Structures are given as C-alpha cells and as structure tokens.
Amino acid sequence: MRMPRLRLRNRDRKKNLARTAPVVSLAGPRHPWADGLSDVSIAGDPLAFPHLARTDLPHHPRTVAEYARLVREIAADRARWEPLVRYDALTRWYARLETGPGYEVWLLSWLPGQSSGLHDHGRSAGVMTVVEGELTERSLTRSGEGARVLRPGGRRVLSAGDVHEVVNAALEPAVSIHLYTPGLVEMNQYGAAVAERQTEPR
C-alpha cells in the first residue's frame, strides 16, 4: 500500500526553506569566502544548485555562441552586477550572479596584483569577459606560452582542460564575469615545474 504524498502549502514551504537555507553573511572585515584557495572553494555544495542539472531543456543556452551571448547580456546590464561589486585585500572577491541547467555565472573583482594562479577548470568550459579595468591572461599549451590583455568588450572562450592564469597586472581594480558549463566542481592548480613540462616540445 502506497502512502499518500503530503503537499505543503506555500506558507509551509517558506517556513521549511527558512529552517534549511544556509545563511551567508558578508558582514565584518573578512567574508566566508576569503580563504584564498580556489574558485571551487567558494562554490559550496554543488548539489544545492541547478548548474549540474539537465542541459537539454528548452529556452536555456546550450552552445558556445549562446553562452557568449548570455555573458554579453549580463555584462551590458550594469545595474544588475555593479551594486554587488566588493573588493577584498586578501583574495579575489566572488558573487554568483546566475545559475541554470548546465551552467553558472560568477562576478569576480581583482585588486592590483591579485591572481588566479595557474589552473584549469577540470571538465568545465567557460566564457569570461572583463567589465571594468583590465586583466592579463597567461595561457599554456603544448606549443608554448602566450599572453593577452583582456579589456571590456571582449570575450574569452575556454575549452575544458585549458591551462591558464589570470592576473590584475594594472594599477587599477578590475571586475570580470565568468560563465562555466557545466558548473565548476573541479579546479586543478599547477606549480612552476608542471608549467615547464606543459610547454616542453613533444
């Protein structure tokens, strides 16, 4: 015999959410994400967010071009992200702007000298754009090392497994928007020795 399924009223759902929802406070001189570890370290429990859900649903971006368009639209909507920008002297600052089936979008701020370190994003691909200031990207491939300056208006597409480092090498703060698909659950850091092996001719 199957037990009847109880349905919660909206009022009861709100009470349950209030009891179970995590509380994150950015009050005080050091917020909970200022651990300086990696982008993944501030993502929380990936199962609590929809960015690992199905990606075959209608009306959601599924191609690189659609993801790039979404990043462009969010970047153009300054009223959406500008009030959220904060700066942290200890580490890059993060805020999740949006999640959807198969993707998530982050807002990052960079004070002069702050860097991501050399890393990849595991099986996630990405699209990033700078919305204030400028950032320098160092990329490593089997054919060698390259560098480029990222400025507002441009977009950088990253494939899964790409190894790169992003740093604010300028004298002014910078702000960037990053989309990951699927949502970021892995980020591998590389030291100098690994970087040298990565660029050795084969």
Side-chain angles (χ1 to χ4, degrees), residues 33 39 42-43 49-52 60-61 66-77 80-81 84 93-108 124-129 131 175-184:
W33 297 331
D39 292 356
I42 47 77
F49 298 96
H51 55 263
L52 299 181
H60 288 284
E66 290 171 342
Y67 286 125
R69 185 176 68 243
L70 175 60
V71 168
R72 183 176 68 246
E73 290 171 356
I74 293 174
D77 188 1
R80 177 176 180 182
W81 55 262
L84 302 176
W93 178 89
Y94 308 77
R96 185 185 270 113
L97 285 177
E98 181 175 322
T99 61
Y103 73 92
E104 60 180 343
V105 183
W106 288 90
L107 177 70
L108 278 74
S124 298
V127 179
M128 68 171 289
T129 187
V131 291
V175 180
S176 57
I177 292 173
H178 303 240
L179 180 148
Y180 300 106
T181 177
L184 191 63

Side-chain angles (χ1 to χ4, degrees), residues 13 31 46 57 74 79 95 117-118 159 164 166 169 181 194:
R13 285 195 189 98
H31 59 68
L57 300 176
I74 293 174
L118 198 60
S159 299
H164 75 153
V166 179
T181 177
V194 175

Side-chain angles (χ1 to χ4, degrees), residues 15 24 49 51 74-75 88 91 102 122 137 149 163-164 167 184 191:
K15 288 179 182 175
V24 177
F49 298 96
H51 55 263
I74 293 174
D88 190 315
T91 185
E137 181 195 26
V149 176
V163 178
H164 75 153
V167 61
L184 191 63

Side-chain angles (χ1 to χ4, degrees), residues 12-188:
D12 297 325
R13 285 195 189 98
K14 290 177 182 176
K15 288 179 182 175
N16 283 353
L17 286 174
R19 285 197 296 268
T20 59
V23 177
V24 177
S25 172
L26 298 182
R30 180 179 172 85
H31 59 68
W33 297 331
D35 52 27
L37 296 178
S38 72
D39 292 356
V40 175
S41 67
I42 47 77
D45 178 6
L47 299 181
F49 298 96
H51 55 263
L52 299 181
R54 290 172 51 194
T55 59
D56 59 344
L57 300 176
H59 311 301
H60 288 284
R62 283 177 287 179
T63 66
V64 172
E66 290 171 342
Y67 286 125
R69 185 176 68 243
L70 175 60
V71 168
R72 183 176 68 246
E73 290 171 356
I74 293 174
D77 188 1
R78 294 187 69 92
R80 177 176 180 182
W81 55 262
E82 194 170 37
L84 302 176
V85 174
R86 305 286 184 275
Y87 295 99
D88 190 315
L90 299 179
T91 185
R92 292 169 296 151
W93 178 89
Y94 308 77
R96 185 185 270 113
L97 285 177
E98 181 175 322
T99 61
Y103 73 92
E104 60 180 343
V105 183
W106 288 90
L107 177 70
L108 278 74
S109 73
W110 313 67
L111 288 174
Q114 289 183 337
S115 167
S116 67
L118 198 60
H119 67 282
D120 67 29
H121 299 118
R123 66 187 186 94
S124 298
V127 179
M128 68 171 289
T129 187
V130 173
V131 291
E132 282 187 2
E134 66 179 41
L135 296 170
T136 300
E137 181 195 26
R138 172 190 173 211
S139 301
L140 293 184
T141 67
R142 295 188 186 278
S143 59
E145 178 179 334
R148 73 185 82 197
V149 176
L150 307 174
R151 296 185 176 91
R155 279 169 300 283
R156 172 80 167 99
V157 176
L158 299 164
S159 299
D162 282 357
V163 178
H164 75 153
E165 176 182 24
V166 179
V167 61
N168 183 355
L171 299 178
E172 300 293 331
V175 180
S176 57
I177 292 173
H178 303 240
L179 180 148
Y180 300 106
T181 177
L184 191 63
V185 295
E186 180 183 4
M187 183 170 167
N188 302 300

